[in-house]
Amino acid sequence: MVTTASKLAFISGQVAVDETGALIGSGDYYAQAIQVFTNLKYALEAARADPLYIAKMNIFVVNHHPELISIIFDAGFHVFRSDWPKSASTYIGVQALADPEWLIEIDAIVIFP
């Protein structure tokens, strides 16, 4: 991704909690991925950014195994539909996140045109 952007937004720590802070989808990668991508979508809306403005996204997945890739990406497509971010991205398998019940975390760098 190459840019001449004058304004950036950094979105971090999108995990599977709702607006009250309650965990969504305990032990369920798909349910957590839906909530994580929904939270990312809300963060983009708060920044008044189109999902297509995402330049870089990192997806952290606890205890990754290859079958999880389609589960997590299917959840992303479910949330964003045709607005699925076409960005540089890194999918990273990790041992744990900050909370032992979190299975997925996303951060993103947004570039405004």
PDB file of all heavy atoms in Angstrom, residues 8 12 14 19-20 22 24 30 34 49-50 61 63-65 68 77 87 89-90 100 105:
ATOM      1  N   LEU A   8      -4.590  10.066   9.162  1.00  0.00           N
ATOM      2  CA  LEU A   8      -4.599   8.646   9.477  1.00  0.00           C
ATOM      3  C   LEU A   8      -5.436   8.397  10.722  1.00  0.00           C
ATOM      4  O   LEU A   8      -5.548   9.264  11.581  1.00  0.00           O
ATOM      5  CB  LEU A   8      -3.178   8.146   9.760  1.00  0.00           C
ATOM      6  CG  LEU A   8      -2.139   8.315   8.670  1.00  0.00           C
ATOM      7  CD1 LEU A   8      -0.758   7.941   9.210  1.00  0.00           C
ATOM      8  CD2 LEU A   8      -2.481   7.454   7.479  1.00  0.00           C
ATOM      9  N   SER A  12      -7.244   0.078  17.330  1.00  0.00           N
ATOM     10  CA  SER A  12      -6.616  -1.089  17.951  1.00  0.00           C
ATOM     11  C   SER A  12      -7.554  -1.744  18.948  1.00  0.00           C
ATOM     12  O   SER A  12      -8.568  -1.169  19.348  1.00  0.00           O
ATOM     13  CB  SER A  12      -5.315  -0.683  18.647  1.00  0.00           C
ATOM     14  OG  SER A  12      -5.597   0.193  19.711  1.00  0.00           O
ATOM     15  N   GLN A  14      -9.699  -4.287  18.913  1.00  0.00           N
ATOM     16  CA  GLN A  14     -11.071  -4.698  18.627  1.00  0.00           C
ATOM     17  C   GLN A  14     -11.202  -6.169  18.982  1.00  0.00           C
ATOM     18  O   GLN A  14     -10.605  -7.026  18.343  1.00  0.00           O
ATOM     19  CB  GLN A  14     -11.423  -4.433  17.161  1.00  0.00           C
ATOM     20  CG  GLN A  14     -11.310  -2.970  16.766  1.00  0.00           C
ATOM     21  CD  GLN A  14     -12.090  -2.049  17.682  1.00  0.00           C
ATOM     22  OE1 GLN A  14     -13.300  -2.144  17.801  1.00  0.00           O
ATOM     23  NE2 GLN A  14     -11.397  -1.148  18.342  1.00  0.00           N
ATOM     24  N   GLU A  19     -21.181  -3.411  23.543  1.00  0.00           N
ATOM     25  CA  GLU A  19     -21.108  -2.043  24.051  1.00  0.00           C
ATOM     26  C   GLU A  19     -21.134  -1.958  25.571  1.00  0.00           C
ATOM     27  O   GLU A  19     -20.733  -0.945  26.142  1.00  0.00           O
ATOM     28  CB  GLU A  19     -22.224  -1.176  23.440  1.00  0.00           C
ATOM     29  CG  GLU A  19     -23.628  -1.639  23.766  1.00  0.00           C
ATOM     30  CD  GLU A  19     -24.142  -2.744  22.853  1.00  0.00           C
ATOM     31  OE1 GLU A  19     -23.484  -3.119  21.879  1.00  0.00           O
ATOM     32  OE2 GLU A  19     -25.231  -3.261  23.151  1.00  0.00           O
ATOM     33  N   THR A  20     -21.555  -3.018  26.263  1.00  0.00           N
ATOM     34  CA  THR A  20     -21.550  -3.025  27.734  1.00  0.00           C
ATOM     35  C   THR A  20     -20.276  -3.641  28.290  1.00  0.00           C
ATOM     36  O   THR A  20     -20.090  -3.686  29.503  1.00  0.00           O
ATOM     37  CB  THR A  20     -22.757  -3.817  28.289  1.00  0.00           C
ATOM     38  OG1 THR A  20     -22.596  -5.203  27.992  1.00  0.00           O
ATOM     39  CG2 THR A  20     -24.070  -3.301  27.714  1.00  0.00           C
ATOM     40  N   ALA A  22     -19.508  -6.852  27.751  1.00  0.00           N
ATOM     41  CA  ALA A  22     -19.747  -8.287  27.926  1.00  0.00           C
ATOM     42  C   ALA A  22     -19.128  -9.074  26.777  1.00  0.00           C
ATOM     43  O   ALA A  22     -19.237  -8.682  25.608  1.00  0.00           O
ATOM     44  CB  ALA A  22     -21.244  -8.566  27.994  1.00  0.00           C
ATOM     45  N   ILE A  24     -18.836 -11.722  23.961  1.00  0.00           N
ATOM     46  CA  ILE A  24     -19.762 -12.368  23.034  1.00  0.00           C
ATOM     47  C   ILE A  24     -19.069 -13.612  22.486  1.00  0.00           C
ATOM     48  O   ILE A  24     -17.943 -13.539  21.998  1.00  0.00           O
ATOM     49  CB  ILE A  24     -20.142 -11.421  21.868  1.00  0.00           C
ATOM     50  CG1 ILE A  24     -20.763 -10.130  22.391  1.00  0.00           C
ATOM     51  CG2 ILE A  24     -21.042 -12.126  20.866  1.00  0.00           C
ATOM     52  CD1 ILE A  24     -22.043 -10.309  23.190  1.00  0.00           C
ATOM     53  N   TYR A  30     -16.273 -18.262  15.483  1.00  0.00           N
ATOM     54  CA  TYR A  30     -17.130 -17.556  14.531  1.00  0.00           C
ATOM     55  C   TYR A  30     -17.896 -16.434  15.214  1.00  0.00           C
ATOM     56  O   TYR A  30     -17.921 -15.301  14.729  1.00  0.00           O
ATOM     57  CB  TYR A  30     -18.096 -18.519  13.834  1.00  0.00           C
ATOM     58  CG  TYR A  30     -18.916 -17.832  12.754  1.00  0.00           C
ATOM     59  CD1 TYR A  30     -18.338 -17.509  11.533  1.00  0.00           C
ATOM     60  CD2 TYR A  30     -20.247 -17.507  12.963  1.00  0.00           C
ATOM     61  CE1 TYR A  30     -19.061 -16.866  10.538  1.00  0.00           C
ATOM     62  CE2 TYR A  30     -20.984 -16.862  11.969  1.00  0.00           C
ATOM     63  CZ  TYR A  30     -20.389 -16.556  10.764  1.00  0.00           C
ATOM     64  OH  TYR A  30     -21.114 -15.916   9.784  1.00  0.00           O
ATOM     65  N   ILE A  34     -17.480 -12.436  14.400  1.00  0.00           N
ATOM     66  CA  ILE A  34     -18.588 -11.544  14.026  1.00  0.00           C
ATOM     67  C   ILE A  34     -18.558 -10.293  14.893  1.00  0.00           C
ATOM     68  O   ILE A  34     -18.651  -9.167  14.393  1.00  0.00           O
ATOM     69  CB  ILE A  34     -19.954 -12.264  14.172  1.00  0.00           C
ATOM     70  CG1 ILE A  34     -20.124 -13.346  13.111  1.00  0.00           C
ATOM     71  CG2 ILE A  34     -21.112 -11.269  14.159  1.00  0.00           C
ATOM     72  CD1 ILE A  34     -20.454 -12.838  11.729  1.00  0.00           C
ATOM     73  N   ALA A  49     -15.002   6.809   8.470  1.00  0.00           N
ATOM     74  CA  ALA A  49     -14.112   6.203   7.483  1.00  0.00           C
ATOM     75  C   ALA A  49     -14.808   5.045   6.785  1.00  0.00           C
ATOM     76  O   ALA A  49     -15.447   4.216   7.427  1.00  0.00           O
ATOM     77  CB  ALA A  49     -12.844   5.697   8.164  1.00  0.00           C
ATOM     78  N   ASP A  50     -14.673   4.995   5.509  1.00  0.00           N
ATOM     79  CA  ASP A  50     -15.170   3.890   4.705  1.00  0.00           C
ATOM     80  C   ASP A  50     -14.265   2.675   4.948  1.00  0.00           C
ATOM     81  O   ASP A  50     -13.048   2.839   5.096  1.00  0.00           O
ATOM     82  CB  ASP A  50     -15.114   4.311   3.229  1.00  0.00           C
ATOM     83  CG  ASP A  50     -15.771   3.324   2.313  1.00  0.00           C
ATOM     84  OD1 ASP A  50     -15.203   2.226   2.114  1.00  0.00           O
ATOM     85  OD2 ASP A  50     -16.850   3.639   1.788  1.00  0.00           O
ATOM     86  N   VAL A  61      -5.082 -14.379  16.225  1.00  0.00           N
ATOM     87  CA  VAL A  61      -5.960 -15.510  16.495  1.00  0.00           C
ATOM     88  C   VAL A  61      -5.269 -16.467  17.469  1.00  0.00           C
ATOM     89  O   VAL A  61      -4.180 -16.965  17.190  1.00  0.00           O
ATOM     90  CB  VAL A  61      -6.320 -16.250  15.190  1.00  0.00           C
ATOM     91  CG1 VAL A  61      -7.243 -17.422  15.474  1.00  0.00           C
ATOM     92  CG2 VAL A  61      -6.954 -15.294  14.197  1.00  0.00           C
ATOM     93  N   ASN A  63      -4.393 -19.785  19.330  1.00  0.00           N
ATOM     94  CA  ASN A  63      -4.309 -21.210  18.971  1.00  0.00           C
ATOM     95  C   ASN A  63      -4.714 -21.474  17.519  1.00  0.00           C
ATOM     96  O   ASN A  63      -5.493 -22.376  17.230  1.00  0.00           O
ATOM     97  CB  ASN A  63      -5.148 -22.062  19.928  1.00  0.00           C
ATOM     98  CG  ASN A  63      -4.652 -21.975  21.344  1.00  0.00           C
ATOM     99  OD1 ASN A  63      -3.450 -21.916  21.594  1.00  0.00           O
ATOM    100  ND2 ASN A  63      -5.566 -21.935  22.294  1.00  0.00           N
ATOM    101  N   HIS A  64      -4.166 -20.677  16.641  1.00  0.00           N
ATOM    102  CA  HIS A  64      -4.493 -20.789  15.213  1.00  0.00           C
ATOM    103  C   HIS A  64      -4.270 -22.209  14.691  1.00  0.00           C
ATOM    104  O   HIS A  64      -3.310 -22.883  15.062  1.00  0.00           O
ATOM    105  CB  HIS A  64      -3.637 -19.825  14.389  1.00  0.00           C
ATOM    106  CG  HIS A  64      -3.680 -20.145  12.939  1.00  0.00           C
ATOM    107  ND1 HIS A  64      -4.788 -19.952  12.171  1.00  0.00           N
ATOM    108  CD2 HIS A  64      -2.752 -20.722  12.123  1.00  0.00           C
ATOM    109  CE1 HIS A  64      -4.548 -20.367  10.940  1.00  0.00           C
ATOM    110  NE2 HIS A  64      -3.323 -20.831  10.890  1.00  0.00           N
ATOM    111  N   HIS A  65      -5.175 -22.625  13.832  1.00  0.00           N
ATOM    112  CA  HIS A  65      -4.978 -23.810  12.996  1.00  0.00           C
ATOM    113  C   HIS A  65      -5.653 -23.496  11.665  1.00  0.00           C
ATOM    114  O   HIS A  65      -6.557 -22.647  11.598  1.00  0.00           O
ATOM    115  CB  HIS A  65      -5.489 -25.098  13.649  1.00  0.00           C
ATOM    116  CG  HIS A  65      -6.882 -25.025  14.178  1.00  0.00           C
ATOM    117  ND1 HIS A  65      -7.997 -25.285  13.422  1.00  0.00           N
ATOM    118  CD2 HIS A  65      -7.328 -24.699  15.411  1.00  0.00           C
ATOM    119  CE1 HIS A  65      -9.073 -25.133  14.161  1.00  0.00           C
ATOM    120  NE2 HIS A  65      -8.712 -24.765  15.366  1.00  0.00           N
ATOM    121  N   LEU A  68      -9.340 -22.420  10.858  1.00  0.00           N
ATOM    122  CA  LEU A  68      -9.906 -21.171  11.387  1.00  0.00           C
ATOM    123  C   LEU A  68      -9.911 -20.042  10.356  1.00  0.00           C
ATOM    124  O   LEU A  68     -10.701 -19.104  10.472  1.00  0.00           O
ATOM    125  CB  LEU A  68      -9.145 -20.723  12.632  1.00  0.00           C
ATOM    126  CG  LEU A  68      -9.341 -21.586  13.869  1.00  0.00           C
ATOM    127  CD1 LEU A  68      -8.425 -21.118  14.992  1.00  0.00           C
ATOM    128  CD2 LEU A  68     -10.793 -21.561  14.301  1.00  0.00           C
ATOM    129  N   PHE A  77     -16.664 -11.261   5.996  1.00  0.00           N
ATOM    130  CA  PHE A  77     -17.515 -11.036   4.820  1.00  0.00           C
ATOM    131  C   PHE A  77     -18.976 -10.874   5.233  1.00  0.00           C
ATOM    132  O   PHE A  77     -19.711 -10.080   4.645  1.00  0.00           O
ATOM    133  CB  PHE A  77     -17.376 -12.179   3.812  1.00  0.00           C
ATOM    134  CG  PHE A  77     -16.098 -12.137   3.025  1.00  0.00           C
ATOM    135  CD1 PHE A  77     -15.160 -13.153   3.148  1.00  0.00           C
ATOM    136  CD2 PHE A  77     -15.818 -11.097   2.153  1.00  0.00           C
ATOM    137  CE1 PHE A  77     -13.975 -13.130   2.423  1.00  0.00           C
ATOM    138  CE2 PHE A  77     -14.637 -11.054   1.425  1.00  0.00           C
ATOM    139  CZ  PHE A  77     -13.708 -12.071   1.564  1.00  0.00           C
ATOM    140  N   SER A  87      -7.286  -4.594   1.894  1.00  0.00           N
ATOM    141  CA  SER A  87      -6.100  -3.956   2.450  1.00  0.00           C
ATOM    142  C   SER A  87      -4.960  -4.953   2.566  1.00  0.00           C
ATOM    143  O   SER A  87      -5.159  -6.163   2.462  1.00  0.00           O
ATOM    144  CB  SER A  87      -6.426  -3.408   3.847  1.00  0.00           C
ATOM    145  OG  SER A  87      -6.687  -4.476   4.747  1.00  0.00           O
ATOM    146  N   SER A  89      -2.860  -7.090   4.836  1.00  0.00           N
ATOM    147  CA  SER A  89      -3.251  -7.642   6.133  1.00  0.00           C
ATOM    148  C   SER A  89      -2.285  -8.743   6.546  1.00  0.00           C
ATOM    149  O   SER A  89      -1.625  -9.356   5.713  1.00  0.00           O
ATOM    150  CB  SER A  89      -4.680  -8.185   6.093  1.00  0.00           C
ATOM    151  OG  SER A  89      -4.788  -9.252   5.185  1.00  0.00           O
ATOM    152  N   THR A  90      -2.241  -8.943   7.853  1.00  0.00           N
ATOM    153  CA  THR A  90      -1.416  -9.998   8.414  1.00  0.00           C
ATOM    154  C   THR A  90      -2.277 -10.790   9.380  1.00  0.00           C
ATOM    155  O   THR A  90      -2.933 -10.224  10.245  1.00  0.00           O
ATOM    156  CB  THR A  90      -0.190  -9.415   9.149  1.00  0.00           C
ATOM    157  OG1 THR A  90       0.535  -8.595   8.245  1.00  0.00           O
ATOM    158  CG2 THR A  90       0.707 -10.518   9.669  1.00  0.00           C
ATOM    159  N   PRO A 100      -8.019 -14.131  28.845  1.00  0.00           N
ATOM    160  CA  PRO A 100      -7.973 -15.536  28.426  1.00  0.00           C
ATOM    161  C   PRO A 100      -9.196 -15.999  27.636  1.00  0.00           C
ATOM    162  O   PRO A 100      -9.128 -17.026  26.949  1.00  0.00           O
ATOM    163  CB  PRO A 100      -7.831 -16.312  29.734  1.00  0.00           C
ATOM    164  CG  PRO A 100      -8.135 -15.364  30.824  1.00  0.00           C
ATOM    165  CD  PRO A 100      -7.949 -13.982  30.292  1.00  0.00           C
ATOM    166  N   GLU A 105      -8.394 -10.735  17.970  1.00  0.00           N
ATOM    167  CA  GLU A 105      -8.244  -9.298  18.135  1.00  0.00           C
ATOM    168  C   GLU A 105      -7.797  -8.724  16.802  1.00  0.00           C
ATOM    169  O   GLU A 105      -7.001  -9.334  16.083  1.00  0.00           O
ATOM    170  CB  GLU A 105      -7.218  -8.974  19.214  1.00  0.00           C
ATOM    171  CG  GLU A 105      -7.064  -7.496  19.492  1.00  0.00           C
ATOM    172  CD  GLU A 105      -6.211  -7.190  20.720  1.00  0.00           C
ATOM    173  OE1 GLU A 105      -5.934  -8.115  21.521  1.00  0.00           O
ATOM    174  OE2 GLU A 105      -5.824  -6.016  20.867  1.00  0.00           O
TER     175      GLU A 105
END
